[in-house]
Amino acid sequence: MSFENLFSYSATQFEIVIGVFTLTAAVFAACLVYSIATAGSISPRYRLTSYLTGVVMVSAFFELGLLALRWSGAFAWDGTAYVLTDSLFSNGFRYMNWSIDVPVLLTQLLIVGGITGTLFFRRWAAFVIAGLAMIWTGYVGQFDEIDGGAQFWVWGAVSTVFYIWLLVVAYQTIRDAKATSSPGVAKMFGAVWYLFVVSWSIYPLAYVMPQIWNDPNGVVARNLIYSFADISSKAVYGVLLAAIAQKLSAEQGYQPAIDSASWVERTRTGAETG
């Protein structure tokens, strides 16, 4: 049982959580529109990354919708607080969604990074194995999050080992991509690395929240952290990869990307002089 079900919530605490779910879903919907709208300005070699961002956004949008419905159904206002009903809230939807999104997000990095051939399949296999193992072992551990027993900590540690493996492969991929890129693109890949490390490393903080802040405010903080990490690691990441793909496309002579870059530059110059 998720530790969210242990408490009653003030109107403010309840509304913050449902508001966070709604905001995050709205960000994913906006990012979906962006990925569709900009796909045409990316060369066919890299365009799949925009479509994969769309897959991630749709998956994450439905996950947030289900979380919002479960949260609304699990608690009811009794005149003084939101109290638990016969239904239960569950974070299990997050793990199911991550099982879809994590392999897709990492595949995008390989595509934009220009990794091909046998190396692509080796890195992809490592990403999928490490990513799914990280998620599923963490999922097993969270079943003991209320008691904070050995299962919680042991499986959390195992999940962390797979996360470190994933980080190593991601670092190797970004290093290889930077080595063959122009200085501007290499700088953008560096930003991807920092975004990756920061956003993905926030998730464990939400995972251990039942042990470090075991009250309704801890629940609010946990869901704020999850949503910040989701927006950063999915939406911001997808937009940044699309920007890299557009710049690479322009450098390689793809005319729609060149036209798009020229339009952005004219708009920026006009805004500065206007």
Side-chain angles (χ1 to χ4, degrees):
M1 182 174 71
S2 298
F3 98 120
E4 284 85 350
N5 298 301
L6 297 178
F7 311 108
S8 297
Y9 300 93
S10 69
T12 299
Q13 290 166 334
F14 181 88
E15 292 297 333
I16 288 174
V17 173
I18 196 69
V20 166
F21 291 153
T22 304
L23 172 63
T24 308
V27 170
F28 292 150
C31 189
L32 171 62
V33 174
Y34 172 84
S35 67
I36 295 172
T38 58
S41 63
I42 297 174
S43 75
R45 178 178 179 182
Y46 306 110
R47 190 175 298 158
L48 181 59
T49 188
S50 290
Y51 299 148
L52 292 179
T53 292
V55 170
V56 170
M57 294 304 106
V58 170
S59 171
F61 179 85
F62 279 111
E63 174 233 339
L64 266 297
L66 288 171
L67 286 174
L69 289 173
R70 288 296 291 266
W71 180 259
S72 298
F75 302 96
W77 182 252
D78 70 351
T80 58
Y82 280 92
V83 298
L84 189 67
T85 66
D86 293 334
S87 301
L88 292 176
F89 178 78
S90 173
N91 275 305
F93 293 118
R94 295 189 185 275
Y95 290 87
M96 300 305 103
N97 172 247
W98 294 333
S99 296
I100 297 170
D101 290 352
V102 167
V104 175
L105 291 166
L106 297 171
T107 300
Q108 289 178 264
L109 181 60
L110 293 171
I111 293 169
V112 178
I115 309 301
T116 59
T118 303
L119 182 59
F120 177 95
F121 290 104
R122 287 209 310 267
R123 294 265 174 89
W124 180 81
F127 273 148
V128 171
I129 293 169
L132 292 180
M134 175 187 70
I135 294 162
W136 294 343
T137 53
Y139 183 51
V140 173
Q142 65 92 38
F143 284 112
D144 198 29
E145 69 179 16
I146 292 177
D147 296 330
Q151 174 178 312
F152 177 82
W153 295 107
V154 169
W155 286 108
V158 173
S159 178
T160 302
V161 170
F162 286 113
Y163 173 51
I164 292 171
W165 179 20
L166 188 152
L167 274 181
V168 170
V169 180
Y171 174 79
Q172 292 171 338
T173 300
I174 292 173
R175 178 201 61 197
D176 294 346
K178 290 172 67 176
T180 59
S181 299
S182 65
V185 173
K187 186 176 181 180
M188 295 173 76
F189 273 118
V192 170
W193 169 247
Y194 290 117
L195 176 66
F196 189 94
V197 171
V198 172
S199 61
W200 286 54
S201 297
I202 291 173
Y203 286 104
L205 179 59
Y207 179 83
V208 301
M209 189 61 67
Q211 314 309 319
I212 62 178
W213 199 354
N214 192 20
D215 66 20
N217 287 322
V219 170
V220 174
R222 180 194 219 188
N223 285 282
L224 285 169
I225 291 168
Y226 270 141
S227 293
F228 175 81
D230 277 348
I231 289 172
S232 300
S233 65
K234 297 175 184 178
V236 177
Y237 174 86
V239 170
L240 183 53
L241 287 185
I244 294 174
Q246 284 181 318
K247 192 168 183 63
L248 287 169
S249 299
E251 290 179 351
Q252 294 165 14
Y254 187 65
Q255 193 59 46
I258 296 172
D259 294 341
S260 177
S262 299
W263 180 85
V264 170
E265 180 61 24
R266 289 196 302 270
T267 301
R268 183 185 66 81
T269 302
E272 290 177 350
T273 57

